[in-house]
């Protein structure tokens, strides 16, 4: 044993930190991590990693990471056993339900849920058994418009077209910065290399972004665009293509309804009219449309910048249309659908827009989930259906959702907050019970979602690197621990949920693989993919390039593509009005920014990642800084309708005039957190400024980009401690 302990071994697994799912080769001796590198033998990521991968060990070893449940007792935290914590959480949840009704308990699922397959598999059962009025998730501060467009056009929220980046000849990218984010709604590890390959094969990259991003700097063309006006640009591109008879929908035309309505619907959006609002000259728009249509294979792709804005749903619809009318949907080099080994399209509900609405503002639900922009008011608003207890799973909505300070006040007013989370952070500091899961290295992983979004069909199963201690629980065990204590379903329902818990994630995965498109079926020794076969491929399996699959894969009731879905068409008059709404002279608009060594709000506790220059700084065009008399490095106040923060100013011609850029996920100065490193790099939260009232009315997705702000000098800089939110 002792000899084994001392021998260094190599462990292969997929990184769970972002959507790129890079293969890692981790060298370990006993419980000590010696090195984390890219796995060169991973056929998909080919050795690519980013600096965050190395920080996996910091997360694992972090003394601030919670290993056992905490309960708040008389204002102080006490460590309690799992039995006690789960019993107590369940008892108090039941008590709220008994006194106020079932709909007094809500659930919020944060982003890492999607990166923890146990949580992803077992959260739905907990939610079903609670029958809460409302569930919320990070989806509505993120990719909700993609799901809306997918549902309305293709019939399933997960029929998400992925840019075939490896075969395209022309990539038109709006509001995405994959060189930093490593790709989103497009799992493509090593995007930098893939973009270099695109250009090496004679292809073109065009980036549309109010900031000349790291990705824009690699592009053939970069266009600044006034935040929030992309739908106008996209409509003008489509109109130009239709006017100039460049539309070639090809074989899919026979499967589409509504294509002939498009010229009428888009009549108002001539490039000449759109130019003023977008800030892009008409001749550039026309040229953009022509080169897109002329490319042998082209794809338009838009992400956070065009999703989390007022016209997010229109943007994602118009992007799909641009690909469709130019014949680039469902063809190599265009926007394609995956055939993942576990097919979530076959195994999950299609989704539904509307049905239920939020009780205060009447925002629509999507798939039973309400927009998180409404969470605070659903807690604070008096009346039936008021939320009195909240369970958060892998979420930090105080820093990640609009108007964080209002949400903090709401969380304080709850009768009960239970947080399934490894940290005492800005959200969980308000909890009554914190239930911390194992670290990523202590559990196995299969990427149910990111294989669905990958630019090749791939599959990889990662076993746990370390055995968790007896006092630790996986996310799924915590969720199941709550579920079995709370389930009041019928005998049949409870039996089904009990059975899936007995099977556990691994056997559920095996069943999913067997019944998937590459599966061995249910015969024990059938040929084809099952968990055992996947286990024999420690570097992951490449299942081939994406293949055309329409109309077969459509899930619309008539198996046709809806090119002009009514809920989206109904939003066009609002877009027309935006043609006339030019911003007042001298006004400023706030947009977001990501950093390679950061991951939303929760990786700022790794000292390794926190080195270098201060990141939570406001970028402003030098002409605006000069006009406002603001000096480089000075502290400025950024003020919006809902709040005010103070941050250092960095004049930069990276951002266009009239635009300021600030990263989100900062603001670690709040008392009562246990984040030693992050507190020393507190910064201020962009979501103290974002406005919970500003949403895309089609689906309630939050407007995080394009927030009207004012920027002022801070009168007495000495009175301000770094990153402090002065309104608290
Ligand atoms: N202004 C602005 N706001 C934004 C964005 C923006 O661009 N601008 N981006 C938005 C986007 S895209 C997203 S996805 C959201 C994210 O919103 P959230 O998901 O609410 O927030 P995160 O910062 O990702 O916080 C993740 C939480 O999960 C915990 N955690 C990490 N790993 C695990 C795990 O394995 N299990 C469990 N149980 N917990 C874990 C962390 O400790 C942390 O508390 O933020 C959104 N907010
Ligand atoms: N290093 C790192 N990687 C990450 C994350 C992280 O926090 N750090 N977060 C992960 C998550 S949860 C997600 S969802 C993805 C997001 O992945 P991306 O969407 O690729 O990342 P962002 O940096 O949010 O890119 C949004 C871009 O939109 C631009 N923008 C803002 N407003 C507008 C507008 O109105 N129009 C246009 N055209 N552009 C606009 C911004 O300047 C920015 O460059 O990244 C993931 N990967
Ligand atoms: S790019 Fe994403 S998946 Fe790859 S190593 Fe970095 S954080 Fe992990
Ligand atoms: Mo996200």
């Amino acid at each position: 044993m002792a000899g084994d302990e001392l021998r260094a071994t190599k462990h292969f697994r997929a990184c769970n930190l972002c959507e790129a799912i890079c293969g890692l080769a981790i060298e370990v001796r006993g419980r000590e991590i010696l090195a984390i590198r890219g796995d060169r033998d991973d056929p998909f990521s080919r050795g690519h990693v980013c600096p965050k991968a190395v920080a996996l060990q910091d997360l694992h070893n972090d003394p601030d990471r919670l290993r056992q449940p905490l309960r708040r007792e008389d204002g102080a935290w006490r460590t309690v056993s799992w039995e006690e914590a789960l019993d107590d959480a369940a008892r108090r949840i039941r008590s709220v339900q008994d006194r106020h009704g079932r709909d007094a308990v809500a659930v919020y699922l944060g982003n890492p849920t999607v990166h923890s397959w146990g949580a992803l598999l077992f959260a739905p059962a907990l939610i079903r058994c609670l029958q809460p009025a409302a569930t919320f998730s990070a989806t509505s501060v993120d990719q909700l418009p993609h799901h809306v467009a997918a549902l309305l056009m293709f019939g399933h929220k997960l029929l998400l077209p992925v840019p075939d980046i490896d075969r395209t000849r022309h990539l038109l990218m709006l509001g995405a910065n994959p060189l930093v984010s490593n790709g989103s709604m497009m799992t493509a590890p090593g995007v930098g290399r893939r973009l270099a390959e695109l250009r090496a094969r004679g292809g073109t990259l065009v980036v549309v972004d109010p900031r000349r991003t790291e990705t824009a700097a690699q592009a053939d063309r970069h266009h600044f665009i006034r935040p929030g006006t992309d739908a106008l640009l996209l409509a003008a591109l489509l109109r130009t293509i239709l006017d100039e008879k460049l539309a070639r929908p090809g074989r899919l035309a026979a499967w589409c309804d509504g294509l002939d309505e498009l010229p009428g619907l888009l009549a108002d959006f001539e490039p000449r009219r759109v130019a003023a609002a977008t800030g892009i000259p008409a001749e550039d728009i026309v040229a953009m449309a022509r080169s897109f249509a002329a490319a042998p294979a082209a794809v338009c792709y838009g992400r956070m910048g065009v999703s989390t804005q007022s016209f997010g749903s229109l943007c994602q619809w118009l992007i799909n249309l641009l690909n469709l009318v130019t014949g680039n949907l469902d063809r190599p080099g265009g926007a394609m659908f995956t055939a993942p080994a576990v097919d979530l399209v076959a195994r999950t509900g299609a989704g539904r827009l509307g049905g239920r609405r939020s009780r205060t503002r009447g925002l629509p639900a999507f798939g039973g989930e309400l927009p998180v922009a409404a969470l605070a008011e659903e807690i604070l608003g008096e009346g039936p259906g008021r939320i009195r207890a909240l369970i958060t799973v892998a979420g930090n909505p105080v820093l990640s959702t609009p108007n964080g300070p209002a949400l903090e006040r709401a969380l304080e007013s709850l009768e009960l907050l239970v947080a399934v989370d490894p940290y005492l952070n800005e959200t969980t500091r308000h909890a009554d019970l914190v239930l911390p899961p194992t670290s990523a290295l202590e559990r196995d992983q299969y990427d149910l979602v990111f294989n669905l979004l990958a630019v090749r069909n791939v599959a990889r199963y990662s076993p746990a690197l370390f055995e968790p201690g007896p006092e630790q629980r996986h996310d799924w065990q915590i969720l199941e621990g709550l579920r079995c204590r709370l389930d009041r379903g019928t005998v049949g329902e409870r039996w089904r949920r009990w059975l899936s818990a007995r099977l556990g994630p691994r056997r559920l995965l095996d069943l999913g693989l067997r019944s998937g498109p590459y599966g061995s079926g249910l015969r024990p020794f059938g040929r084809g993919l099952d968990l055992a076969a996947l286990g024999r491929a420690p570097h992951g399996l490449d299942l081939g390039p994406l293949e055309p699959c329409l109309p077969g894969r459509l899930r619309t009731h008539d198996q046709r593509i809806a090119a002009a879905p009514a809920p989206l068409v109904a939003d066009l008059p609002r877009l027309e009005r935006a043609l006339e709404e030019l911003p007042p002279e001298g006004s400023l608009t706030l947009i977001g920014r990501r950093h390679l060594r950061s991951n939303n709000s929760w990786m700022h506790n790794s000292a390794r990642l926190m080195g270098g220059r201060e990141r939570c700084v406001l970028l402003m065009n030098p002409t605006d800084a000069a006009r406002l008399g603001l000096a480089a490095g000075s502290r400025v106040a950024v003020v919006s309708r809902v709040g005010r923060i103070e941050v250092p100013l960095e004049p930069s011609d990276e951002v266009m005039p009239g635009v300021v850029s600030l990263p989100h996920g900062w603001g670690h100065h709040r008392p009562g957190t246990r984040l030693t490193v992050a507190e020393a790099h507190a910064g201020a939260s962009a979501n103290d400024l974002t406005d919970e009232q500003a949403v895309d009315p089609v689906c309630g997705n939050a407007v995080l980009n394009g927030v009207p702000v004012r920027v002022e000098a801070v009168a007495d800089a000495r009175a301000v401690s770094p990153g402090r939110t002065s309104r608290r």
Side-chain angles (χ1 to χ4, degrees):
M1 255 331 266
D4 281 348
E5 287 272 328
L6 288 176
R7 213 179 57 224
T9 54
K10 244 194 203 148
H11 167 87
F12 301 99
R13 69 183 292 107
C15 176
N16 69 309
L17 292 172
C18 88
E19 299 179 42
I21 59 172
C22 299
L24 304 179
I26 306 183
E27 215 182 317
V28 281
R29 192 192 296 120
R31 290 190 76 87
E32 187 193 356
I33 294 170
L34 303 175
I36 300 182
R37 296 197 182 86
D39 178 2
R40 286 169 197 278
D41 297 322
D42 181 319
F44 191 36
S45 64
R46 298 178 283 179
H48 177 265
V49 278
C50 84
K52 288 188 293 301
V54 186
L56 271 172
Q57 60 188 302
D58 303 345
L59 296 173
H60 181 71
N61 296 325
D62 190 345
D64 287 338
R65 179 167 68 82
L66 305 175
R67 269 95 173 155
Q68 277 171 286
L70 292 183
R71 178 164 64 198
R72 186 190 298 279
E73 292 176 10
D74 302 322
W77 290 109
R78 191 164 79 82
T79 303
V80 291
S81 74
W82 279 103
E83 279 298 298
E84 202 177 340
L86 292 169
D87 285 348
D88 194 27
R91 188 183 50 74
R92 289 157 80 173
I93 291 167
R94 248 177 204 259
S95 156
V96 170
Q97 286 183 328
D98 289 343
R99 282 176 293 118
H100 304 292
R102 291 237 157 166
D103 44 11
V105 179
V107 178
Y108 172 79
L109 301 177
N111 165 278
T113 313
V114 189
H115 299 262
S116 162
W117 70 307
L120 197 63
L121 281 173
F122 281 81
L126 174 63
I127 289 172
R128 264 196 299 277
C129 94
L130 285 170
Q131 296 178 359
T135 60
F136 301 84
S137 84
T139 290
S140 52
V141 279
D142 192 347
Q143 81 287 1
L144 180 53
H146 296 249
H147 298 305
V148 170
L151 171 69
L152 296 177
M153 297 180 76
F154 311 125
H156 195 291
K157 64 179 186 230
L158 295 179
L159 278 176
L160 298 159
V162 175
D164 186 8
I165 187 174
D166 290 345
R167 288 181 290 183
T168 196
R169 297 291 297 272
H170 186 104
L171 176 51
L172 171 59
M173 187 185 299
L174 299 93
N177 187 14
L179 244 50
V180 164
S181 69
N182 280 298
S184 182
M185 307 300 276
M186 168 182 75
T187 288
V191 175
R193 174 162 55 191
R194 291 175 202 270
L195 290 178
E197 287 165 358
L198 160 70
R199 300 187 59 204
R201 64 178 175 266
T204 309
L205 172 64
V206 180
V207 172
V208 179
D209 198 302
R211 182 179 147 237
R212 192 171 58 253
T213 59
E214 295 77 354
T215 309
Q218 305 281 314
D220 299 275
R221 274 312 295 272
H222 166 233
H223 301 273
F224 279 137
I225 187 166
R226 214 166 56 65
T229 64
D230 301 82
L232 293 172
L233 168 67
L234 290 160
L237 292 175
L238 273 161
R239 205 202 125 141
T240 306
I241 285 168
L242 295 172
D243 277 359
E244 299 194 356
K245 308 270 178 279
L246 301 172
R248 305 266 183 282
R251 84 187 159 85
L252 286 184
W255 302 97
C256 282
D257 292 317
L259 277 182
D260 46 348
E261 293 168 40
L262 296 181
L265 293 174
L266 301 171
D268 280 343
F269 304 103
E270 290 168 79
R272 243 176 339 108
R273 288 196 66 197
V274 161
T278 57
I280 304 180
E283 58 274 20
D284 284 4
I285 298 176
V286 171
M288 227 189 274
R290 286 180 186 156
S291 54
F292 190 88
V299 64
C300 180
Y301 160 75
R303 204 45 282 277
M304 277 299 282
V306 292
S307 295
T308 52
Q309 56 152 284
S310 171
F311 294 104
S313 299
L314 285 189
C315 284
Q316 293 304 336
W317 170 46
L318 295 170
I319 286 171
N320 286 346
L321 276 184
L322 197 55
N323 292 325
L324 173 65
V325 302
T326 53
N328 285 300
L329 183 72
D330 196 39
R331 91 157 176 210
M336 302 195 74
F337 299 93
T338 57
V342 178
D343 187 6
L344 292 188
V345 174
R347 303 189 142 257
T348 60
R352 177 179 177 205
L353 177 61
R356 159 184 292 166
R357 289 188 172 265
S358 75
R359 77 194 166 94
T360 346
R361 219 188 309 170
L363 294 178
F366 186 88
E369 200 180 292
L370 289 176
V372 70
L375 177 55
E377 69 206 32
E378 295 292 291
I379 296 172
L380 290 169
E382 304 278 347
R386 178 176 182 181
I387 296 169
R388 317 258 180 175
L390 180 68
I391 305 171
T392 65
V393 181
N396 191 4
V398 165
L399 294 193
S400 296
T401 68
N403 199 351
L407 184 61
E408 289 214 83
R409 288 191 291 280
L411 297 182
E412 269 307 291
S413 79
L414 287 169
E415 280 187 33
L416 178 68
L417 175 59
V418 176
V420 182
D421 202 287
Y423 283 105
L424 260 186
N425 62 21
E426 297 74 18
T427 297
T428 62
R429 74 189 177 112
H430 298 285
D432 300 284
L433 283 147
V434 186
L435 310 174
T438 47
S439 92
L441 299 179
E442 290 163 332
R443 60 186 183 227
D444 54 0
Q445 173 70 8
Y446 181 82
D447 284 291
L448 288 164
V449 171
F450 303 115
N451 290 330
L452 178 90
L453 299 172
V455 299
R456 286 182 73 84
N457 290 314
V458 290
R460 179 174 191 152
Y461 171 74
S462 308
L465 167 55
F466 297 125
E467 196 58 40
E471 269 312 304
Q472 293 186 279
R473 297 288 182 277
H474 298 304
D475 273 310
W476 75 270
Q477 293 170 317
I478 300 169
L479 299 174
E480 175 53 20
L482 289 173
R483 200 280 308 159
C484 67
R485 285 167 173 80
L486 286 162
D487 208 333
R488 300 191 212 185
T490 63
V491 174
E493 285 164 351
R494 272 181 292 157
W495 185 81
R496 269 201 306 281
R497 296 197 268 257
W498 174 86
L499 182 68
S500 66
R502 286 292 300 188
L503 290 171
R506 238 188 312 253
R507 262 179 290 175
L508 291 176
L509 171 62
D510 191 41
L511 287 173
L513 290 168
R514 285 165 178 273
S515 56
Y518 314 88
S520 57
L522 295 180
R523 292 151 296 157
F525 304 105
R527 287 163 61 89
L529 201 56
D530 58 13
L531 185 53
L534 208 51
R536 289 191 293 273
H539 308 288
L541 284 180
D542 180 41
L543 301 168
L546 307 187
E547 303 274 2
C549 62
L550 298 190
R553 204 154 159 69
L554 292 172
R555 286 292 181 278
T556 40
H557 63 93
D558 52 2
Q559 278 244 323
R560 296 177 63 77
I561 298 170
L568 297 169
V569 169
D571 199 30
L572 282 173
R574 189 171 66 96
L575 186 64
E576 276 162 36
R577 291 197 294 280
L579 278 170
E580 315 302 332
E581 288 163 11
L582 292 183
E585 192 64 33
S587 62
L588 291 172
T589 309
L590 177 69
I591 62 167
R593 181 167 91 241
R594 284 177 154 79
H595 193 281
L596 189 58
R597 296 158 75 89
S598 190
N599 195 19
N600 294 332
S601 75
W602 69 279
M603 284 187 67
H604 297 154
N605 214 42
S606 157
R608 192 193 309 265
L609 292 181
M610 283 304 99
R613 293 187 341 157
E614 185 171 358
R615 275 175 234 161
C616 188
V617 299
L618 187 77
L619 301 184
M620 178 187 276
N621 190 276
T623 55
D624 288 323
R627 178 171 57 82
L628 295 169
L630 301 170
S634 67
R635 291 188 69 76
V636 294
V638 191
V639 187
S640 73
R641 185 191 77 84
V642 308
R644 176 182 191 277
I645 61 170
E646 294 179 6
V647 284
L649 179 79
E650 187 175 312
S652 164
D653 65 6
E654 259 178 30
V655 285
M656 66 191 284
V659 171
V660 287
S661 152
L662 188 71
H664 76 285
W666 300 86
H668 303 298
H669 55 274
R670 283 131 168 105
T673 62
R674 199 178 290 172
L675 295 164
T676 317
V677 178
E679 277 168 39
H681 304 264
S685 176
N687 287 317
D688 288 3
L689 299 173
T690 50
D691 187 340
E692 86 287 0
Q693 295 295 326
V695 296
D696 171 358
V698 175
C699 61
N701 204 45
V703 175
L704 305 172
N705 285 290
V707 180
V709 291
R710 214 167 66 232
V711 178
E712 315 163 334
V714 171
D716 183 0
R718 282 162 309 167
V720 185
S721 56
R724 209 35 71 117
T725 317
S726 50
R727 66 195 290 270
R728 283 183 50 83

